[in-house]
Amino acid sequence: QVQLVESGGGLVQAGGSLRLSCAASGSTFSIAFMGWYRQAPGKQRELVATISISRSGSTNYEDSVKGRFTISRDNAKNTVYLQMNSLKSEDTAVYYCNARRYDRSEYWGQGTQVTVSS
């Protein structure tokens, strides 16, 4: 089992920045990828960014956040971060942390609200 705890959401003005954190605990040795998803009211949950926990640390971003958001990791702390800059009103959503194990099982955090006021 893997437990994920997110923090860092809040209310920010358009153009501002926020940093989300996701701390993993439990069977963290089995995690292959971690990432962030978001779900806006009335919309499906969508991928924001992912990062490999392996040595490569390869990343993947949804097109609308490229150049504005940066995902990073601290393997020693079992923590993944999402630095969000130049926030827009359309970034408003509940952001969820995701962990995917090598056996393809997935775990989710409880979600953290990000609200961008225009």
Side-chain angles (χ1 to χ4, degrees):
Q1 294 290 322
V2 174
Q3 294 79 43
L4 302 173
V5 177
E6 302 122 332
S7 60
L11 173 64
V12 64
Q13 288 189 332
S17 299
L18 281 175
R19 189 175 83 153
L20 306 183
S21 300
C22 174
S25 61
S27 301
T28 58
F29 63 90
S30 61
I31 296 174
F33 294 91
M34 291 187 71
W36 291 93
Y37 289 70
R38 65 186 180 187
Q39 188 166 18
K43 294 188 177 181
Q44 290 188 328
R45 190 173 298 188
E46 64 175 3
L47 171 72
V48 177
T50 62
I51 187 166
S52 169
I53 304 303
S54 68
R55 184 175 299 178
S56 72
S58 59
T59 59
N60 179 50
Y61 295 92
E62 194 269 331
D63 285 346
S64 69
V65 308
K66 287 179 180 177
R68 300 189 298 123
F69 291 10
T70 302
I71 189 169
S72 61
R73 62 183 183 171
D74 184 336
N75 284 359
K77 296 181 178 179
N78 295 316
T79 299
V80 170
Y81 305 95
L82 185 68
Q83 178 66 44
M84 304 185 293
N85 299 328
S86 303
L87 283 161
K88 305 175 181 179
S89 57
E90 51 262 45
D91 295 318
T92 295
V94 178
Y95 284 69
Y96 296 91
C97 181
N98 170 273
R100 192 189 323 159
R101 298 192 345 182
Y102 287 101
D103 65 1
R104 297 182 181 272
S105 57
E106 289 189 293
Y107 298 85
W108 294 90
Q110 79 284 0
T112 185
Q113 177 70 47
V114 171
T115 302
V116 184
S117 63
S118 57

